[in-house]
Amino acid sequence: MTRIVSPGFLRPQMDRVNAGTWELLDRDGTWIPLPLAVPDWDYATELTFRRSVEVDDSSIRDECQLPTSAPLGISVMWHATGTNRRGAFPMATIGDRYATVLASLRGDELGGQLHLRTMVLLAGDVTDGGSLAPRRSGSILWSDDTSVFLEGESALFPTEEIDFAATGIAPAAAAWYLEWNPGDPLSATLGSLRLFINSGHEPVRRAAAHPTADAATKAITSAMLYDVLRQLIEGALDSADFDDTTSYPRGTLGASMRAVLRLAFRESSIDVVRALRRTSRSDFEVRIQAAARLFSR
C-alpha cells in the first residue's frame, strides 16, 4: 500500500515552477546539457552545474495563503553515492520570476551516482499567513530530482594485464602492481601511473574485466581501489616534490594526489596528515578505508 504523507501546509500547483535543463560546464569552457553520465571523470575533476528556474511567485503565495512579503528561494541539495557525502548549493534568490542556481563541486566529494534535488523553499519564517500556510523557513513548496552517473573512476589508474610469472615485474602470486613515481607532480596522471593486473591470477583478472559482475569481483575491485588510494596518499606524504598548497592543473599527478588526500583527510594540511601517520597509524589507515568505502561499493 502506498503511504501518502501530508506536509501539513498548502503547496502550489506543480506548473507554477518551470525548471530548465541542468547544464554542465564542459572542459572547453562551454555549457552543455547534463548527460546521463559524465565520461572520463576522476576524483581530481571538479564539476560545475547551473540551472535556470522560472517561478510564478505571486501565484505560489496566493495558493499557499502566504503574505506578499513572504520570502521565497531556490536551493539544491546534492548526494554522491560513491562517497555518501551530501551538501547544498548556495540559496538562489528569485528576482522578477527568474533565478539561476550555480555551484561547483569538488571531485574528491563525489563518486558513483550524483543526485540533485531542486527545491523552491520558504526562505524565512512567516507569522501572518493563512491557517494552512507554511510558516517555517525551509518549508519545501516544490521539488524535482535529477541524477547523473560519474563514470571512469578507473581513469585514476590506467590498467594493463600482464603475466607476472613470465615478465618478472612482480612476484608471480601477486594480484596487481602499481607503477608510478610521485616525484613529478606536474606530469600527466594517465602517462605516469599504471596499474598492472596479473593475468595469471584468475580471480583478479576476472574482476578487472568485469568489476561489478558479482559480490566476489566487487570485493576485489574495492580492495584494488583502496590499495591504489593508499599508495597515492603514502607517495604524496613521502614526496619532497609534492606541495598540497599548489594548484596543480587538472589531469596532472599532483592534482590526483591532492584529490585523494582531500578525499581521506578533508582540509587537513599535509603536515597534519604526516603527523597523524606518525603518531596514530591506526587512525591514519582507517580514514583511508573510509575514503575508499572498502567493501561497500
Side-chain angles (χ1 to χ4, degrees):
M1 179 181 294
T2 301
R3 183 183 179 190
I4 300 176
V5 179
S6 171
F9 52 79
L10 293 171
R11 281 180 171 171
Q13 298 179 44
M14 290 293 292
D15 61 4
R16 300 309 185 194
V17 179
N18 180 21
T21 301
W22 274 106
E23 294 180 304
L24 176 69
L25 187 62
D26 202 5
R27 292 176 184 269
D28 63 1
T30 60
W31 289 99
I32 61 173
L34 185 66
L36 294 176
V38 180
D40 301 324
W41 174 87
D42 63 41
Y43 292 117
T45 301
E46 181 179 86
L47 297 178
T48 301
F49 303 88
R50 77 176 180 185
R51 190 184 200 187
S52 296
V53 184
E54 181 182 6
V55 180
D56 186 348
D57 51 327
S58 177
S59 295
I60 288 176
R61 292 187 181 92
D62 287 343
E63 292 171 7
C64 294
Q65 297 182 1
L66 289 167
T68 57
S69 60
L72 303 179
I74 298 175
S75 180
V76 176
M77 301 292 294
W78 62 267
H79 173 220
T81 62
T83 59
N84 203 30
R85 291 183 178 166
R86 304 169 186 270
F89 290 12
M91 177 81 75
T93 57
I94 300 169
D96 296 327
R97 292 173 60 106
Y98 292 93
T100 299
V101 290
L102 173 70
S104 297
L105 300 180
R106 289 189 344 215
D108 57 357
E109 298 273 8
L110 307 178
Q113 191 174 20
L114 178 65
H115 301 293
L116 301 171
R117 167 163 285 192
T118 307
M119 299 171 290
V120 176
L121 307 172
L122 188 62
D125 291 340
V126 171
T127 58
D128 54 348
S131 59
L132 295 177
R135 299 183 180 279
R136 293 186 177 181
S137 179
S139 296
I140 301 173
L141 308 181
W142 177 95
S143 67
D144 79 346
D145 297 280
T146 302
S147 297
V148 58
F149 287 96
L150 303 179
E151 295 184 338
E153 289 184 0
S154 61
L156 191 62
F157 42 96
T159 61
E160 180 179 336
E161 276 193 25
I162 192 169
D163 188 339
F164 287 9
T167 61
I169 191 173
W176 56 78
Y177 170 71
L178 182 67
E179 182 180 74
W180 76 299
N181 181 358
D184 186 7
L186 287 174
S187 64
T189 299
L190 294 179
S192 58
L193 183 153
R194 186 164 300 277
L195 185 69
F196 290 102
I197 304 298
N198 187 359
S199 61
H201 195 306
E202 181 56 27
V204 172
R205 188 204 63 76
R206 180 171 175 268
H210 307 284
T212 61
D214 52 39
T217 60
K218 287 180 180 179
I220 292 172
T221 303
S222 181
M224 194 182 303
L225 175 62
Y226 160 75
D227 187 51
V228 171
L229 292 183
R230 181 188 61 77
Q231 290 194 54
L232 287 177
I233 289 170
E234 296 267 17
L237 297 180
D238 292 335
S239 175
D241 300 295
F242 173 73
D243 177 8
D244 67 327
T245 63
T246 297
S247 180
Y248 293 102
R250 184 166 60 183
T252 62
L253 189 58
S256 295
M257 289 192 288
R258 189 165 185 261
V260 295
L261 276 169
R262 280 186 168 182
L263 185 67
F265 301 100
R266 310 290 287 172
E267 300 296 336
S268 298
S269 70
I270 195 168
D271 290 335
V272 169
V273 179
R274 284 173 177 150
L276 178 66
R277 182 177 62 166
R278 184 175 62 252
T279 60
S280 182
R281 186 76 192 204
S282 294
D283 287 345
F284 170 79
E285 293 285 354
V286 80
R287 294 195 189 192
I288 301 176
Q289 287 183 29
R293 300 189 69 218
L294 187 61
F295 303 133
S296 62
R297 289 176 176 266

